[in-house]
Amino acid sequence: MTTFHSIAIDGPSGAGKSTMAKALAKRLGFLYVDTGAIYRTVGLYVARQGRDCSKPAEVLPCLDEIHLSLTYGEDGLQHMILNGEDVTAAIRENEVSRYASQVSAIPEVRTFLLEMQRDLARRHHVIMDGRDIGTVVLPQAEVKIFLTASVEQRALRRHRELLQKGETISLETIREELIQRDERDSSRAAAPLKKAEDAVELDTSALTLEESVEALLTIVKERISI
Ligand code: DC
């Protein structure tokens, strides 16, 4: 039986997890799994039904109506398919960040998505990013990284991303939303955002993208012989 390698990257919103994980996956030939995209897809569905994402009684009936799958395009990038529709772009709209954070605090939503995430790691070498990958989803991952950056840096990066996509929103609003989301993601009872005991913490505030990727590669190579 082939055993597959798993690398878990957790951390707060905007710390650069997906950019780093994508770059690392390319260098290593691993599958990149963005678990935030899965929560975003659930949040998008619930909001589209006109329901309140923060209310379990409104969210839970939706779970039976959701068929989710994850595909990889020719570009090698992860696409989210919701009931047959490719929602990869729609889930990146700014308000979907809040919907995702709200539905993700509901334990039944987390259970609903858990096997899907674990199954990917059983079938591929993965780099998976999220909030609870090293603590709950893949506690046996050989490499666990907790990526952080100052709230100022994270807000600046998110602001730049949204501007590039044509969304006009002030830096201050983004900063406040980030703080609220961090607070909700870290204080919830179900699988809160926290560093796994055996995770290596990397603060990327003062590092360029290239420097961060090199630092991560060094951490990975110390733990997995590839
Ligand atoms: O990584 P992201 O910003 O796209 O994630 C959106 C929200 O989904 C985030 O605020 C918290 C939630 N999330 C989670 O609870 N657990 C994960 N493994 C990934 C994301």
Side-chain angles (χ1 to χ4, degrees):
M1 199 179 96
T2 321
T3 47
F4 291 102
H5 297 300
S6 308
I7 301 174
I9 304 188
D10 292 301
S13 311
K17 299 185 297 295
S18 66
T19 312
M20 306 297 163
K22 239 182 261 170
L24 211 57
K26 201 165 177 192
R27 293 274 287 264
L28 300 171
F30 281 24
L31 188 71
Y32 165 52
V33 183
D34 170 0
T35 65
I38 309 178
Y39 287 94
R40 284 171 180 271
T41 304
V42 173
L44 177 71
Y45 181 83
V46 175
R48 277 182 173 179
Q49 306 314 303
R51 294 174 178 234
D52 184 336
C53 288
S54 67
K55 298 208 170 106
E58 295 196 28
V59 174
L60 297 184
C62 292
L63 298 183
D64 290 337
E65 300 160 14
I66 296 179
H67 186 266
L68 276 184
S69 58
L70 221 142
T71 61
Y72 286 84
E74 280 183 14
D75 47 8
L77 295 181
Q78 175 183 316
H79 287 247
M80 289 308 309
I81 313 295
L82 167 63
N83 297 337
E85 176 192 351
D86 189 329
V87 293
T88 311
I91 59 171
R92 293 297 152 200
E93 281 169 24
N94 192 45
E95 71 268 18
V96 181
S97 303
R98 179 165 40 87
Y99 304 146
S101 177
Q102 290 171 332
V103 296
S104 75
I106 304 174
E108 289 86 346
V109 171
R110 307 199 70 83
T111 308
F112 175 70
L113 301 176
L114 187 59
E115 262 315 294
M116 176 182 189
Q117 298 169 74
R118 287 188 174 156
D119 190 52
L120 286 162
R122 276 194 284 269
R123 295 185 290 115
H124 305 273
H125 297 303
V126 290
I127 297 189
M128 202 175 273
D129 84 16
R131 303 293 186 291
D132 62 338
I133 309 304
T135 51
V136 176
V137 179
L138 303 177
Q140 82 295 356
E142 294 142 294
V143 185
K144 297 183 187 179
I145 292 155
F146 195 78
L147 212 58
T148 60
S150 66
V151 73
E152 281 68 28
Q153 275 299 326
R154 294 190 285 122
L156 271 172
R157 289 174 189 165
R158 186 68 86 195
H159 189 233
R160 219 176 293 137
E161 258 172 43
L162 289 171
L163 282 183
Q164 272 168 7
K165 287 197 307 177
E167 281 199 51
T168 40
I169 180 163
S170 77
L171 181 60
E172 191 45 35
T173 307
I174 294 196
R175 188 177 179 278
E176 276 163 23
E177 285 177 358
L178 269 183
I179 294 172
Q180 274 175 17
R181 201 139 70 92
D182 286 353
E183 168 61 22
R184 188 164 41 226
D185 296 345
S186 316
S187 63
R188 68 183 179 215
L193 165 67
K194 73 166 194 259
K195 178 179 166 295
E197 269 176 28
D198 49 351
V200 180
E201 184 162 345
L202 181 69
D203 184 329
T204 65
S205 307
L207 302 180
T208 62
L209 171 63
E210 290 72 26
E211 288 167 340
S212 305
V213 172
E214 286 312 315
L216 289 179
L217 266 177
T218 306
I219 298 169
V220 169
K221 286 181 177 162
E222 279 165 7
R223 287 162 180 80
I224 305 184
S225 47
I226 322 172

